[in-house]
Amino acid sequence: MSRTKALVFAAAGCLIATYFVFDLGTFIELEYLQQQQSVLTTFVADYPLKASIGYFLSYVTITALSLPGAALLTLLGGAIFGLTWGFLLVSFASTIGATCAFLLSRYLFRNTVSQRFHSRMAAVDQGITKDGAFYLFTLRLVPIFPFFIINLLMGLTTLKVSTFFLVSQLGMLPGTLVFVNAGTQLAKIESLSGILSPTLLVSFGVLGLFPLLAKRFVAQIKARRILKPYPKPVNFDRNLIVIGAGSAGLVSSYIAAATKAKVTLIEKHRMGGDCLNTGCVPSKALLRSAKFVHQASQSANYGIARAELNFNFREVMERVKRIVQSIEPHDSIERYTELGVECVIGEAKILTPYCVEVNGRRLTTRNIIIAAGARPLVPPIPGIDDIDYLTSDNLWDLRELPARLVVLGGGPIGCEISQAFARLGSTVTQIEMGSRLLAREDEIVAAMLLESLRNDGVTVELERQAVEFKRTQNGGVVVCKSLSDPALDNLEIEFDQIIVALGRRANVTGYGLEEIGISLNGDGTIATDAYLATDFPNIYACGDVAGPFQFTHMASHQAWYATVNSLFGSIKRSAADYSVVPWCTFTDPEIARVGLSENEAREQNIPYELTTFDIGDLDRALADGVASGVIRVLTVPGRDQILGVTIVGEHAGDLIAEFVLAMRHKLG
């Protein structure tokens, strides 16, 4: 605790102690106030300004320190100042005092609570950011909730001070009016409980529902307004149309068919999307072949003096193709047709929120799910269109191993591709603008991967930016500038092939989003609410096209929420849960993570304890000849609550599952 914070805490503590030690609460008990009413009324008549200021400051102080007596002071305001002036004084004094209590709670306790209960507070803050004003307004309208508790608890959240003040001012008006009015008859009051009759409490309860009902009403009005320009069909051809047959689209249509909904799945290219055809499946097949070649080259480590390899790159790529073909039936039109899904190959066009056109047919639907996926990002670097660059989409057509390969990008895809081709025999140069690989991971983790890539023969150029491409007779040249030392500019790297692996961009053009006006996020993904609905209440988006995580397992996860909310949202909707999201980079060693990294914990000022386990100490790893790597576990100080885990080593992608389970179910 800082010196200033300690002084504030001590000052508040002294004032509260003084209140109780000297029994100052006696002066604002109901019986005492009734006895002194005539004296106080006379004082107000003689010194109205002094009385008003003294009363106002007393009220603010008691409320700010969360001391008992605010309700009785409210009664006193009506008794000695009358309804109008008393109501005005109490209204502003109570709000200012509540705001002071709010600020004290935030200043003294917010950081501590946030750090200790990080995951829970993150969820609370997310809800407060979205609906905090409604929550507060509802609580303020019902005076049976202790206001001092509301003040303190709201101070622990991220609610804006201005929002707290304005909402409190408005929300407390009805209750303030009731108590000040009751105070005008102070002599007749026998107890505070008599003020709030059962009828009045019911009235306040109904009043407290007003913000929630108003919110729902506003949402319905907004939905009707945005849908008004589009005539609603009398009858619908189907319950749901899904655009895109990747992971998100397949799961969405599967779930819809399982609920006996009439669903149409539209795909313009190949069933299975990126994961099956150009992403997860082919990349892991290639990595496995490359790993086998590497293991053979390390045969001496396994007691085998020499292992001879004779392989052809074309055959390796044909194996990759066969693996894809063997999995295709799982995602095929035939399988999904048997499940009850109408599958259509063609380009979809959203004409209205109720109508999608494909192959000249216009299909009406109650709901639409956009699962259009993403494509490789290719930056507009001068000369790039003059060379035959590759991306993760088309590199699988290669049948001749490039002797000199340049990989642009130091993210997961770039690192996996660089290592695989280096192990298969290419001379690989990897170019990354950042100061390290895998920017989302900790420096120590990135350094371990960098060492592994360099051991495999990859030349990694960090803090380099490609600024120009030149076509040559034998391939091409990429010109790079240095982002750390201008003297190292104009580095020219020759290549036979170049693979652009700089991330992926959501597919949001060409199928009607612009025409009907669906909003996008700053990163180009479709903007959705917590329930994965777009601007239109019957159009949802999930998977890579929606973000925030472009992972196959996340696409499937989101698909469940999008489908259930679209089909059954009128009964109950569920917000997508992103509380525990794991991922893995399938290099060698594998790098898997869930939850916070050490860097993120520092940046967010979250206290943690770091426990590390060197995989070199693991018997099984030693026996398998893979005794390198580390497990890094972040926990809450003094407790075994897991904040995050990073695993670097063999089978990291498998091992992380136990930590995911533990975090999801709050196991130690």
Side-chain angles (χ1 to χ4, degrees):
M1 184 180 289
S2 67
R3 180 183 177 87
T4 304
K5 187 177 289 188
L7 289 173
V8 172
F9 189 86
C14 287
L15 289 173
I16 293 171
T18 300
Y19 179 86
F20 287 104
V21 169
F22 292 99
D23 201 16
L24 299 180
T26 304
F27 298 105
I28 49 174
E29 290 180 352
L30 180 59
E31 184 179 353
Y32 180 83
L33 293 177
Q34 288 173 330
Q35 294 173 355
Q36 300 297 318
Q37 181 178 358
S38 58
V39 175
L40 293 171
T41 302
T42 302
F43 183 81
V44 169
D46 294 339
Y47 307 99
L49 183 59
K50 286 184 179 180
S52 297
I53 293 174
Y55 174 82
F56 189 89
L57 293 177
S58 298
Y59 201 115
V60 168
T61 301
I62 285 178
T63 309
L65 295 175
S66 302
L67 295 170
L72 286 163
L73 277 180
T74 304
L75 292 174
L76 180 63
I80 62 177
F81 294 108
L83 179 60
T84 303
W85 186 238
F87 175 70
L88 193 63
L89 285 173
V90 172
S91 175
F92 283 97
S94 60
T95 304
I96 292 172
T99 305
C100 290
F102 170 89
L103 291 171
L104 270 174
S105 174
R106 171 165 294 178
Y107 182 68
L108 295 175
F109 307 117
R110 159 80 182 161
N111 286 343
T112 302
V113 173
S114 180
Q115 290 166 3
R116 187 172 179 82
F117 305 102
H118 169 70
S119 57
R120 295 179 185 177
M121 288 305 298
V124 169
D125 286 338
Q126 187 177 5
I128 288 293
T129 300
K130 190 173 185 300
D131 295 311
F134 281 98
Y135 297 152
L136 179 59
F137 193 47
T138 300
L139 293 171
R140 289 301 195 201
L141 283 173
V142 185
I144 57 174
F145 294 112
F147 282 175
F148 79 94
I149 293 179
I150 297 173
N151 302 336
L152 298 178
L153 291 179
M154 283 293 174
L156 302 178
T157 71
T158 55
L159 187 70
K160 291 182 179 179
V161 178
S162 57
T163 301
F164 180 86
F165 183 90
L166 292 173
V167 172
S168 296
Q169 180 72 20
L170 292 172
M172 291 192 291
L173 287 178
T176 299
L177 183 61
V178 168
F179 271 79
V180 172
N181 182 59
T184 60
Q185 306 296 319
L186 182 64
K188 300 178 181 179
I189 296 175
E190 297 181 0
S191 69
L192 290 179
S193 59
I195 298 171
L196 296 176
S197 65
T199 303
L200 194 58
L201 285 174
V202 171
S203 300
F204 274 123
V206 173
L207 192 61
L209 293 175
F210 173 75
L212 303 177
L213 297 175
K215 180 185 175 184
R216 190 175 182 87
F217 179 73
V218 169
Q220 289 177 346
I221 294 296
K222 183 180 178 181
R224 289 181 182 178
R225 182 180 301 166
I226 199 169
L227 292 170
K228 187 176 181 181
Y230 307 99
K232 187 176 182 180
V234 177
N235 298 304
F236 292 93
D237 298 325
R238 50 211 26 85
N239 303 106
L240 179 65
I241 288 179
V242 181
I243 300 174
S247 178
L250 290 172
V251 173
S252 293
S253 55
Y254 184 103
I255 293 172
T259 63
K260 305 304 179 184
K262 191 170 184 181
V263 55
T264 295
L265 174 63
I266 303 173
E267 170 56 48
K268 72 174 183 178
H269 194 203
R270 290 181 289 184
M271 295 284 287
D274 294 330
C275 181
L276 172 63
N277 298 292
T278 63
C280 316
V281 174
S283 66
K284 302 312 166 284
L286 180 66
L287 288 168
R288 185 63 187 92
S289 293
K291 185 173 185 177
F292 180 79
V293 172
H294 175 71
Q295 288 174 328
S297 71
Q298 303 294 311
S299 62
N301 294 335
Y302 298 92
I304 311 297
R306 183 179 179 184
E308 292 187 4
L309 275 179
N310 182 13
F311 74 94
N312 183 290
F313 181 74
R314 172 179 289 274
E315 293 175 355
V316 170
M317 296 305 283
E318 287 298 327
R319 173 187 176 270
V320 171
K321 183 178 179 180
R322 289 195 302 273
I323 296 296
V324 172
Q325 290 173 339
S326 69
I327 297 174
E328 278 180 347
H330 301 169
D331 299 343
S332 65
I333 290 176
E334 292 76 16
R335 179 179 181 232
Y336 275 78
T337 300
E338 289 179 1
L339 291 170
V341 179
E342 179 191 21
C343 300
V344 179
I345 299 298
E347 293 196 23
K349 180 80 170 182
I350 301 174
L351 302 179
T352 76
Y354 306 113
C355 182
V356 176
E357 183 178 71
V358 58
N359 300 336
R361 297 169 57 199
R362 293 194 172 189
L363 312 176
T364 59
T365 179
R366 296 183 183 277
N367 302 285
I368 298 170
I369 290 180
I370 301 170
R375 65 189 184 281
L377 171 64
V378 180
I381 302 172
I384 195 169
D385 292 329
D386 298 328
I387 63 172
D388 297 324
Y389 65 84
L390 300 172
T391 68
S392 58
D393 277 359
N394 60 0
L395 74 87
W396 311 109
D397 296 329
L398 276 178
R399 290 300 180 268
E400 183 178 340
L401 181 70
R404 301 167 301 172
L405 176 68
V406 167
V407 177
L408 216 57
I413 296 175
C415 291
E416 290 177 3
I417 291 172
S418 295
Q419 189 173 52
F421 275 87
R423 287 180 166 185
L424 291 171
S426 292
T427 299
V428 180
T429 301
Q430 186 177 7
I431 301 171
E432 165 58 33
M433 291 177 59
S435 60
R436 60 189 176 90
L437 302 171
L438 300 183
R440 297 179 66 173
E441 308 298 344
D442 289 325
E443 288 88 347
I444 188 173
V445 172
M448 294 174 75
L449 176 59
L450 178 62
E451 180 183 4
S452 179
L453 290 176
R454 287 176 171 166
N455 288 340
D456 284 326
V458 179
T459 299
V460 181
E461 295 286 352
L462 298 174
E463 297 184 296
R464 291 279 189 184
Q465 181 180 4
V467 294
E468 184 182 4
F469 289 96
K470 300 175 184 178
R471 190 179 183 87
T472 65
Q473 187 175 358
N474 298 322
V477 172
V478 57
V479 182
C480 301
K481 75 174 184 179
S482 173
L483 299 178
S484 60
D485 186 355
L488 300 177
D489 279 351
N490 299 318
L491 172 67
E492 294 191 355
I493 304 171
E494 295 182 347
F495 59 83
D496 298 305
Q497 292 283 1
I498 184 165
I499 299 175
V500 180
L502 295 172
R504 299 178 65 77
R505 185 65 60 127
N507 292 322
V508 294
T509 59
Y511 55 95
L513 302 192
E514 308 98 323
E515 287 81 354
I516 66 172
I518 288 182
S519 301
L520 303 180
N521 295 313
D523 61 358
T525 56
I526 295 176
T528 63
D529 61 16
Y531 308 99
L532 298 176
T534 66
D535 302 300
F536 294 87
N538 68 323
I539 300 180
Y540 290 73
C542 57
D544 287 1
V545 77
F549 301 98
Q550 292 187 330
F551 304 135
T552 295
H553 54 284
M554 178 51 65
S556 303
H557 180 70
Q558 288 181 322
W560 185 92
Y561 290 95
T563 308
V564 173
N565 288 336
S566 65
L567 295 175
F568 307 106
S570 58
I571 301 172
K572 168 146 176 67
R573 297 201 300 168
S574 300
D577 181 5
Y578 302 123
S579 58
V580 182
V581 181
W583 63 80
C584 182
T585 300
F586 291 92
T587 48
D588 186 4
E590 292 181 3
I591 298 171
R593 179 151 75 87
V594 61
L596 292 174
S597 67
E598 189 174 13
N599 280 348
E600 290 171 344
R602 288 171 181 163
E603 290 167 1
Q604 298 175 34
N605 197 28
I606 298 171
Y608 65 90
E609 289 180 356
L610 174 64
T611 303
T612 61
F613 177 79
D614 188 341
I615 291 180
D617 294 333
L618 182 64
D619 297 352
R620 174 63 186 272
L622 286 163
D624 284 353
V626 288
S628 63
V630 67
I631 301 176
R632 296 162 55 83
V633 184
L634 273 65
T635 52
V636 175
R639 301 171 59 195
D640 66 352
Q641 180 185 339
I642 303 170
L643 297 173
V645 180
T646 301
I647 304 178
V648 182
E650 190 84 357
H651 298 299
D654 304 321
L655 297 173
I656 199 71
E658 293 188 49
F659 291 98
V660 174
L661 179 72
M663 291 181 67
R664 189 71 184 84
H665 296 284
K666 298 179 175 57
L667 306 176

